[in-house]
Amino acid sequence: MWRAAAVGCCSLWQGARRIVVRRNNLMRYPGLAEICTSSGKDTRGSYQAMLCTNLKQPLKIQQLPSVTLKPTEVRVDIHCCGVNFADILMCQGLYQERPQLPFIPGMEFTGSVMEVGTHVTGLGKGDRVIGMCSLGAMAEECVLDQKLLWPIDGMISYEVATVLAVSYGTVILALQHRAKTQPGETVLVTAAAGAAGLAAVDVASHVLDAKVIAAAGTDEKCELALERGAIAAINYTTQSVKEEVKKLTGNKGVNVVIDAVGGDVFNDAFSSLSWEGRIVVVGFAGGNIPTIRANQLLLKNISAMGVNFGKYQDLDYSSFSRSIMSAIQHCKEGRIRPHVGSVFKLQQVNEAFQHVLLRKSIGKVIITMK
């Protein structure tokens, strides 16, 4: 169903940020290939999941058996999961590492605890949680280690909470941990109507007290960014980012850039940095990976850096976890307003992928199980 759109978006895949598959939850299901071809009539102790059985083909819904918990694991009844571009890459075989077929895509979810392992502390049956996994979120239940779960209370809906982990976690690391954004600084956000872009506008404006200039590809997306906190917006399909930033800042430039586009947009944004400006790369949605000449960094004492959110889980778990906990706390306090763009049912995962591939998505695309 979404294969045709995928062909037209090849450059988008090639330029997208690659995330290493750290943990294939389905390795715990011996004989999964045989299970997937069974009739699935006996639904006791089982759950539905969307399976990638063949690369570049629509996903299929199947009934799978529940597995026994290990001591530090938790079984979660999934209410919602997020759709990330990395999920689509994985199902197209364009990931850096390919999980063994068949597999369940999906790396973030919200839900309630069904069962805990014997060594689990701090979580109990019925607790509402956000979960992060490399695979397995596009299903009615998921089993994962307790360290990959963060509690949420009833003040935050499951739909809203689903936006927090990847989107807000990424931009909190980008803006605070990497760029060290200060109050009053000017931040340029590209792809400002995407899930991460809107999160960056939100955090920079309402948490860090920065002035945000949003850049997006349509007037509609620019308008949304303005509604969410940006002081100005640039449509980079009809306007020059570089020239507009000059006008908006009185030729001073911006202190920080959060870029998820790459290509010419990155180049214009990079040229728009002020003295000691910082540019943080979070992706290449435009399909072209730009290059920087070292002398360009020297001229204005510019810093260029990147954020690979998934890698923090392996190499700096404390920062990884802290970014998610900060997002939850900011949301609870009402300082941020996560934007849910589109909601699809589990059976509509292929339509959700198509929606993202055709660049129709604004904000976070979510799959709901209930």
Side-chain angles (χ1 to χ4, degrees), residues 47-48 76-81 110-112 114 139-141 158-159 343-348 366-370:
Y47 65 96
Q48 286 190 325
V76 180
D77 177 21
I78 297 179
H79 285 244
C80 301
C81 74
T110 55
S112 59
M114 300 170 65
E140 292 179 327
E141 73 174 53
Y158 285 118
E159 290 82 2
V343 179
F344 294 83
K345 293 290 187 180
L346 179 62
Q347 295 81 359
Q348 297 174 307
I366 288 174
I367 304 298
T368 179
M369 314 298 167
K370 305 299 179 183

Side-chain angles (χ1 to χ4, degrees), residues 263-343:
D264 291 338
V265 172
F266 171 92
N267 293 331
D268 277 359
F270 183 85
S271 298
S272 300
L273 284 169
S274 64
W275 171 259
E276 291 193 337
R278 294 89 72 197
I279 187 166
V280 187
V281 177
V282 297
F284 308 103
N288 294 317
I289 300 176
T291 58
I292 301 173
R293 294 176 61 182
N295 69 310
Q296 294 177 298
L297 302 175
L298 183 65
L299 293 175
K300 291 190 288 186
N301 279 11
I302 289 171
S303 298
M305 58 196 83
V307 168
N308 183 335
F309 184 62
K311 275 293 185 181
Y312 276 91
Q313 180 179 318
D314 297 325
L315 303 177
D316 187 358
Y317 175 80
S318 62
S319 294
F320 175 79
S321 181
R322 188 164 55 247
S323 70
I324 296 174
M325 290 189 294
S326 295
I328 295 170
Q329 187 63 28
H330 294 326
C331 189
K332 182 179 178 180
E333 294 171 354
R335 301 183 71 185
I336 58 175
R337 296 182 300 137
H339 183 76
V340 177
S342 303
V343 179

Side-chain angles (χ1 to χ4, degrees), residues 35-308:
I35 292 171
C36 293
T37 57
S38 67
S39 64
K41 292 181 180 179
D42 185 357
T43 60
R44 293 173 297 175
S46 64
Y47 65 96
Q48 286 190 325
M50 290 300 292
L51 285 178
C52 178
T53 56
N54 294 286
L55 298 177
K56 301 181 181 179
Q57 295 294 325
L59 275 62
K60 299 178 180 179
I61 194 162
Q62 297 285 350
Q63 199 80 25
L64 301 178
S66 298
V67 298
T68 302
L69 296 184
K70 294 180 180 179
T72 62
E73 288 183 331
V74 178
R75 189 187 320 279
V76 180
D77 177 21
I78 297 179
H79 285 244
C80 301
C81 74
V83 176
N84 293 284
F85 200 73
D87 301 321
I88 302 175
L89 286 174
M90 188 182 302
C91 294
Q92 292 296 316
L94 297 171
Y95 230 42
Q96 184 170 331
E97 294 186 12
R98 297 184 183 183
Q100 182 179 356
L101 292 170
F103 63 85
I104 305 170
M107 60 178 58
E108 60 177 335
F109 64 84
T110 55
S112 59
V113 173
M114 300 170 65
E115 182 184 1
V116 299
T118 55
H119 294 175
V120 172
T121 59
L123 287 174
K125 186 175 180 179
D127 287 350
R128 304 170 82 252
V129 293
I130 289 174
M132 286 289 298
C133 53
S134 297
L135 295 170
M138 292 183 181
E140 292 179 327
E141 73 174 53
C142 184
V143 171
L144 73 172
D145 192 89
Q146 62 179 339
K147 70 179 292 186
L148 298 178
L149 293 168
W150 292 265
I152 53 174
D153 59 32
M155 295 178 64
I156 308 174
S157 70
Y158 285 118
E159 290 82 2
V160 167
T162 306
V163 187
L164 296 176
V166 172
S167 298
Y168 277 83
T170 297
V171 302
I172 287 172
L173 283 172
L175 287 165
Q176 294 185 279
H177 183 71
R178 299 291 278 151
K180 295 180 170 51
T181 307
Q182 300 300 308
E185 289 193 314
T186 303
V187 177
L188 173 64
V189 178
T190 69
L198 285 175
V201 171
D202 200 5
V203 171
S205 300
H206 303 124
V207 176
L208 302 178
D209 295 322
K211 295 174 289 187
V212 176
I213 299 173
T218 68
D219 290 341
E220 177 190 9
K221 292 178 178 180
C222 287
E223 185 61 35
L224 178 60
L226 290 170
E227 292 174 4
R228 308 303 286 191
I231 63 170
I234 304 167
N235 182 339
Y236 47 64
T237 62
T238 59
Q239 298 171 295
S240 164
V241 172
K242 184 177 179 179
E243 294 304 316
E244 292 301 315
V245 168
K246 283 182 179 180
K247 295 176 186 176
L248 292 167
T249 63
N251 290 321
K252 293 180 180 179
V254 298
N255 305 104
V256 176
V257 172
I258 305 298
D259 180 58
V261 179
D264 291 338
V265 172
F266 171 92
N267 293 331
D268 277 359
F270 183 85
S271 298
S272 300
L273 284 169
S274 64
W275 171 259
E276 291 193 337
R278 294 89 72 197
I279 187 166
V280 187
V281 177
V282 297
F284 308 103
N288 294 317
I289 300 176
T291 58
I292 301 173
R293 294 176 61 182
N295 69 310
Q296 294 177 298
L297 302 175
L298 183 65
L299 293 175
K300 291 190 288 186
N301 279 11
I302 289 171
S303 298
M305 58 196 83
V307 168
N308 183 335

